[in-house]
Amino acid sequence: MTNTPAWKRTASTKDAQEHGLREQEYKAVLQALGRDINMVELGVCSALFSEHCSYKSTKVHLRTLPTTGPRVIIGPGENACVVDIGDNEAVVFKVESHNHPSFIEPFQGAATGVGGILRDVFTMGARPVAVLNSLRFGDPALPKTRYLLRRAVNGIGFYGNCMGIPTVGGELSFHSSFNGNCLVNAFALGVVKQDEVFLGTAAGIGNVVLYVGSKTGRDGIHGASMSSEEFGENSEAKRPTVQVGDPFQEKLLLEACLEAFKSGYVVGVQDMGAAGLTSSSFEMADRGNNGVRMHLDRVPQREEGMNPYEIMLSESQERMLFIVQAGHESKLIEIFKRWELDAVAIGEVIEGGDVELYWHGELVSSIPAKLLTSAVPEYNWPMTPPSDASLTAPIDLSTIPAPKDLGATWISLLGSPNLASRRPLYSQYDSTVRNDTVVHPGSDAGVVRVRSSSGAEKGIAISLDCNSRYCAIDAQTGAALSLAESCRNIAATGATPIGISDCLNMPSPEDPKTMWQIAHCIKGLGEAARAFSVPVVSGNVSLYNQTQGQGIQPTPLLAVVGLMQDVNNAVPSHFRRSGDVILLIGETNPDEVGGSAYLATVHAQERGALPNLDYSLEQKTCDLVRQLVNGKLLRSCHDLSEGGLGIALAESCFTDYEAPLGASLKLSLNNARPDALLFSETGARFLVSCAPENADKAKKLIRDAGLVIGGEGNVGGTTISIDGVASIDTAAAFQSWRVGLEEIFGA
C-alpha cells in the first residue's frame, strides 16, 4: 500500500478553514464541481478567493466609480490601464499595495512591490519610465517604526535603481494607527504605442502556454492569502510567505519581453504576481473564454522536490506567462534564452473553459476558470455610521489656546515628521536616470518627458497622495478632498489630469464601522472623480490592514496622472529668484482648521469639520493656474494643502540643492487669529511666483477668471514673513525643515 502525497489527498472543511476559505465558499465550490477537491485545488481556490485577488468585499462599491472617458483605451480589469496621450501613444499605469509583506520583511516586501508593479506595466507592452511610492508608518519614536522605514526605503531604492527607472515622487506619513501595519504602495507608469498594447488573455485553441523568466521556488507561497487577513501575535513567523526579488533578473525580463512583443507571435501575456501561476493561468483563461492545460512538471524549478501545490502557489518573482501562436514558440524561446532566461512550453489553450493541471502525465486538477475568477461570490457587508458626531463638528477656536510664540510654533511644525523635508528618503532613489525627469521629487508632482514621434515633447505629471487623517474624521469628504489636492498638484505643474489609479488601504470589512468608511471613501472618490471629469482607470484594494483588532486610518491613496502638451513649460514648486513677485491665488478661511496638521501636531486633536470642497471653484482655479503656467507667466507654483499657508510659503522658499530664499507676504485678510490664518487648510489656493514684468498680466488673468488674490509679496530677504501674522528667520526655519527626518533615518 502506498501513501498518498499530502498535496494529493482530499481536502476537508478544516483544511479549507486553515486556508482562509469561508465554510459557505468551500461548500459552494464542492457543489459547483459535484465532487470533493484535493489539496492542490484547495490551495488554488483559497488564493483566488482571497480579498487580494477577488475584491469580493468591495466590488459592489467599486462598480459605482466612473471608469470611462474619451482618453480611456483600457480601464480596470487588466494588469494596468491604458490612456491615450495622442499621436498613437498611450501611458500605461497602476498603483498597488505590498503592505503585509513589507511589515513582515520590509526590504524584500518593498522591493518586490516595486518589481511587481513594474511587471504590471511592461506586461502591457509598455516601457516603464517612472516610479513613485507612498508610505505610511507608525509612531516615529518607536524603534520598530524606524527599522521598518529604513529597510523599506532601502528596498524601494535598491529595486528601482537597479532597474534604471527614475523615482520621481511619492509621499511619507506617520501615525500611531500604523504601528502594527505599515503601508507600502508602489506606482509605475510606462509609455506604449496604442497599436502595440498586449492583453492578458488566453486566446486561440491550440496556442502554446509559455513560462518565461526566473525559476520557481518556494518563496511567496500563500502570499495572496496572507495579504488578505488580519495580523496577529505571530505575524513575524510569516516571513517565508514574502517573496525575494532580483532586479537584475527583472531588467533582463523587461528587455526580453519588449523584444518578444515585436516578434508578432505573442497572443497574450500576464505577470505572475499575487498567487503566481494560479492567478495568471485562471485569469487569462477567464478573459479568453477558453481553457488552459498545463504540465506542472515542466515548470523550471530552483528547489528540489517541489510538488504541484507549491508550484501553483509560489510567488517567486520575475516570471511571466505567455500565450504564443502555435508553431512559433521556438522563436520566442530563443529570444528569452538569449537574455539568459528560462522559457519553456508548459501547455496549451484548450476548449471548454477549464484549467487542467497535469503532473507527470496524471491529471491532478480540473476546475472551470470562471468559477474561481469572475464567479467568485461578492459580499455586501453591513455598515454602521459613526456614532461620535463631535468628530466632525466645527472647531470652536476659542477652545484652542493660541501659541505663545507663533514663530517658534511655525518653525517647530516645519521640522515635524509629517511636514519636514523628505530628502533623507528620496535621496536614496535615482530620479535622473534616463534623463527625462523634468520636475524631480520635492515638488507637488513629478514630471517626465515623453518624446513623441511627432517631434513634440509632451509632459506626464504624476501625483501620489492621500490625507489619511481627513479620511479617519470623515471618510467621504476626506477621500474627495484627497482627490482635489491631487488635482491641484497636477495643475501646479501645468498639466491636466487624465486618469486616476486608486489603492484603497483599509482595515477589516467585517467590522460594520470600517465597512462604512470603505464604502464612503469610494463614494467620495466617485463623487470627486465625476466633478473633476477624471476617470478611475486602474487600482488595487488592500483590506485587513490591522493587528489584533487595531485598524489603520483609512487610506484611499490616489495616483493622478496628468498630460501637458509642452513639457518645457513645467514649473517646480519652489521660488527661483529674489525680487520675483509672490501671489496667493484664493481666499483663506481662518475657520477651516478642522482636521489640520496644526491641530493634530500642536494640539493633539484629530477632529473638526473638514475644509469646504467647492468643485466649481477648484476647477476654475486649476484651469487658471494651467493657463498661467502654459502661458509662461510663472516661475513657480505650489498648491496649499497640509499645513496651510505657513507651510506652503516656507516650502516655496526651500530646496534641497540651493540656498534658501526669504519671502514677505501681505494678506488681503489679516483680522483673524494669526495661527488660524497661518495654518488653515482652505482648498482651491495656490502660491505662485513670477518675474516682476509678468506680475500685472498674471494678476489681470486671475481677476478676469473671477478669482481672488488673497495675498501679495516678494521673494527675498533673510526672513519668511506674513505681515501682521508672524515672521521667522529663514536660516533657522530651513534648518528645522531640513533635518526633521534625519534622526529617524539615522542620518
Side-chain angles (χ1 to χ4, degrees):
M1 181 177 179
T2 58
N3 292 325
T4 302
W7 59 267
K8 205 172 181 180
R9 69 174 174 80
T10 300
S12 67
T13 301
K14 181 181 178 183
D15 292 325
Q17 291 172 340
E18 290 174 349
H19 277 69
L21 273 180
R22 301 177 190 281
E23 185 176 355
Q24 67 269 27
E25 294 172 343
Y26 177 60
K27 288 181 177 178
V29 169
L30 299 187
Q31 184 175 5
L33 294 175
R35 61 175 175 83
D36 289 332
I37 58 177
N38 60 38
M39 292 300 291
V40 174
E41 293 172 318
L42 176 60
V44 166
C45 290
S46 70
L48 293 175
F49 270 71
S50 70
E51 291 285 354
H52 197 77
C53 292
S54 70
Y55 300 114
K56 60 190 177 185
S57 292
T58 51
K59 272 186 179 178
V60 66
H61 302 285
L62 294 172
R63 287 197 188 94
T64 65
L65 294 174
T67 59
T68 60
R71 290 189 178 272
V72 180
I73 299 172
I74 296 173
E78 273 289 343
N79 292 293
C81 68
V82 182
V83 179
D84 179 12
I85 60 169
D87 298 307
N88 191 38
E89 292 169 328
V91 284
V92 175
F93 59 89
K94 190 180 183 183
V95 63
E96 274 207 344
S97 61
H98 230 224
N99 303 330
H100 286 60
S102 297
F103 184 78
I104 293 170
E105 210 304 288
F107 183 92
Q108 290 295 347
T112 53
V114 174
I117 200 64
L118 286 171
R119 289 195 303 279
D120 280 339
V121 167
F122 70 76
T123 294
M124 305 292 290
R127 178 174 289 279
V129 298
V131 176
L132 292 86
N133 53 83
S134 173
L135 310 175
R136 292 287 187 284
F137 292 96
D139 182 349
L142 297 177
K144 177 74 171 181
T145 296
R146 298 185 178 202
Y147 164 76
L148 291 172
L149 171 64
R150 294 168 187 171
R151 293 292 292 161
V153 170
N154 288 162
I156 291 167
F158 165 73
Y159 210 104
N161 294 351
C162 290
M163 282 289 293
I165 312 296
T167 300
V168 300
E171 60 151 17
L172 165 66
S173 186
F174 300 93
H175 190 271
S176 59
S177 72
F178 301 99
N179 284 350
N181 202 128
C182 63
L183 302 184
V184 174
N185 293 175
F187 170 94
L189 178 140
V191 180
V192 67
K193 295 289 185 182
Q194 292 181 22
D195 52 4
E196 296 178 0
V197 172
F198 287 85
L199 305 180
T201 182
I205 304 303
N207 280 336
V208 174
V209 178
L210 193 69
Y211 172 111
V212 307
S214 297
K215 289 180 169 58
T216 295
R218 290 187 171 95
D219 53 320
I221 293 175
H222 292 308
S225 301
M226 177 270 293
S227 293
S228 305
E229 60 188 30
E230 179 181 352
F231 277 152
E233 292 182 8
N234 300 316
S235 297
E236 300 285 343
K238 295 182 179 180
R239 286 183 190 273
T241 64
V242 178
Q243 311 93 320
V244 177
D246 183 345
F248 301 104
Q249 281 286 93
E250 179 133 331
K251 175 62 174 173
L252 297 176
L253 183 62
L254 163 63
E255 299 301 338
C257 284
L258 295 181
E259 182 179 340
F261 294 149
K262 294 177 182 178
S263 70
Y265 302 128
V266 177
V267 176
V269 56
Q270 176 98 350
D271 159 45
M272 289 192 221
L277 190 53
T278 290
S279 61
S280 56
S281 58
F282 274 80
E283 289 173 7
M284 292 180 84
D286 182 17
R287 293 192 193 109
N289 290 311
N290 287 316
V292 168
R293 177 180 296 132
M294 296 193 298
H295 300 270
L296 299 182
D297 48 287
R298 300 178 189 173
V299 171
Q301 301 158 44
R302 69 165 181 258
E303 298 184 48
E304 293 183 0
M306 292 190 71
N307 60 52
Y309 179 96
E310 295 169 323
I311 291 169
M312 286 301 290
L313 295 181
S314 167
E315 293 186 6
S316 293
Q317 297 290 283
E318 295 88 40
R319 303 179 302 156
M320 309 282 262
L321 201 64
F322 274 64
I323 305 297
V324 180
Q325 289 181 18
H328 298 285
E329 60 271 21
S330 62
K331 296 172 184 176
L332 272 294
I333 291 171
E334 181 182 339
I335 290 173
F336 284 97
K337 287 192 173 178
R338 191 164 63 249
W339 287 96
E340 301 180 352
L341 295 167
D342 281 301
V344 179
I346 64 168
E348 55 277 333
V349 179
I350 61 175
E351 294 180 346
D354 284 7
V355 175
E356 297 179 356
L357 307 179
Y358 284 81
W359 185 246
H360 297 287
E362 179 186 358
L363 179 67
V364 296
S365 172
S366 181
I367 298 178
K370 291 189 182 300
L371 178 63
L372 304 186
T373 50
S374 53
V376 168
E378 299 175 13
Y379 296 111
N380 196 350
W381 293 104
M383 296 186 286
T384 302
S387 57
D388 185 4
S390 67
L391 194 64
T392 55
I395 295 295
D396 180 357
L397 278 173
S398 67
T399 65
I400 307 296
K404 294 179 180 178
D405 185 338
L406 186 53
T409 299
W410 191 356
I411 290 175
S412 175
L413 267 175
L414 284 167
S416 63
N418 283 331
L419 297 172
S421 168
R422 267 52 189 148
R423 188 177 188 279
L425 181 150
Y426 62 70
S427 63
Q428 300 182 53
Y429 309 149
D430 189 343
S431 67
T432 62
V433 64
R434 298 184 60 83
N435 201 35
D436 280 326
T437 306
V438 177
V439 177
H440 292 260
S443 282
D444 290 342
V447 179
V448 293
R449 178 186 292 104
V450 175
R451 302 178 191 273
S452 171
S453 56
S454 67
E457 289 193 338
K458 299 175 185 176
I460 304 298
I462 314 160
S463 170
L464 198 59
D465 217 339
C466 176
N467 193 315
S468 303
R469 183 171 55 252
Y470 278 9
C471 295
I473 294 170
D474 184 334
Q476 183 171 334
T477 304
L481 284 166
S482 293
L483 181 56
E485 180 186 348
S486 292
C487 289
R488 290 198 299 271
N489 288 337
I490 296 299
T493 68
T496 300
I498 59 173
I500 301 164
S501 186
D502 63 324
C503 191
L504 308 179
N505 304 274
M506 305 287 178
S508 170
E510 298 173 55
D511 179 338
K513 292 181 179 178
T514 295
M515 194 60 235
W516 171 277
Q517 291 180 321
I518 295 170
H520 283 75
C521 278
I522 295 171
K523 186 176 181 180
L525 170 57
E527 171 193 285
R530 289 184 180 89
F532 288 111
S533 300
V534 191
V536 181
V537 286
S538 63
N540 170 239
V541 177
S542 174
L543 303 182
Y544 296 96
N545 287 290
Q546 60 189 54
T547 299
Q548 298 181 37
Q550 176 61 50
I552 64 166
Q553 286 184 328
T555 304
L557 181 79
L558 305 174
V560 178
V561 173
L563 172 67
M564 57 192 314
Q565 295 303 321
D566 187 351
V567 74
N568 298 299
N569 293 337
V571 297
S573 63
H574 60 272
F575 299 145
R576 301 164 80 180
R577 190 173 300 177
S578 289
D580 280 352
V581 174
I582 303 169
L583 299 174
L584 172 60
I585 302 174
E587 191 171 9
T588 300
N589 182 347
D591 293 328
E592 292 187 320
V593 295
S596 66
Y598 168 64
L599 208 62
T601 307
V602 176
H603 298 286
Q605 296 188 36
E606 298 181 5
R607 64 181 182 88
L610 300 181
N612 178 56
L613 179 50
D614 183 331
Y615 289 117
S616 176
L617 180 61
E618 291 278 1
Q619 282 278 49
K620 186 192 298 185
T621 308
C622 286
D623 288 343
L624 179 278
V625 165
R626 278 187 283 270
Q627 182 183 1
L628 293 174
V629 172
N630 290 295
K632 300 184 178 181
L633 295 176
L634 302 184
R635 284 206 174 113
S636 72
C637 183
H638 189 12
D639 90 297
L640 273 66
S641 53
E642 189 172 26
L645 175 59
I647 299 303
L649 181 60
E651 287 175 338
S652 297
C653 293
F654 305 154
T655 71
D656 287 306
Y657 44 87
E658 295 176 356
L661 296 168
S664 59
L665 190 67
K666 182 175 177 59
L667 300 182
S668 303
L669 172 72
N670 61 3
N671 58 352
R673 262 183 56 163
D675 57 335
L677 280 172
L678 200 57
F679 304 124
S680 160
E681 295 182 4
T682 300
R685 293 184 298 164
F686 291 83
L687 204 58
V688 305
S689 68
C690 56
E693 61 269 24
N694 290 328
D696 287 342
K697 186 174 182 180
K699 286 191 279 188
K700 183 178 186 303
L701 287 171
I702 295 169
R703 293 186 177 115
D704 287 350
L707 298 173
V708 172
I709 298 175
E712 188 172 346
N714 295 96
V715 179
T718 59
T719 62
I720 303 171
S721 63
I722 300 176
D723 187 40
V725 177
S727 179
I728 52 177
D729 178 74
T730 300
F734 177 69
Q735 177 67 8
S736 177
W737 175 80
R738 186 178 66 85
V739 305
L741 281 185
E742 287 189 355
E743 182 189 355
I744 297 170
F745 273 91

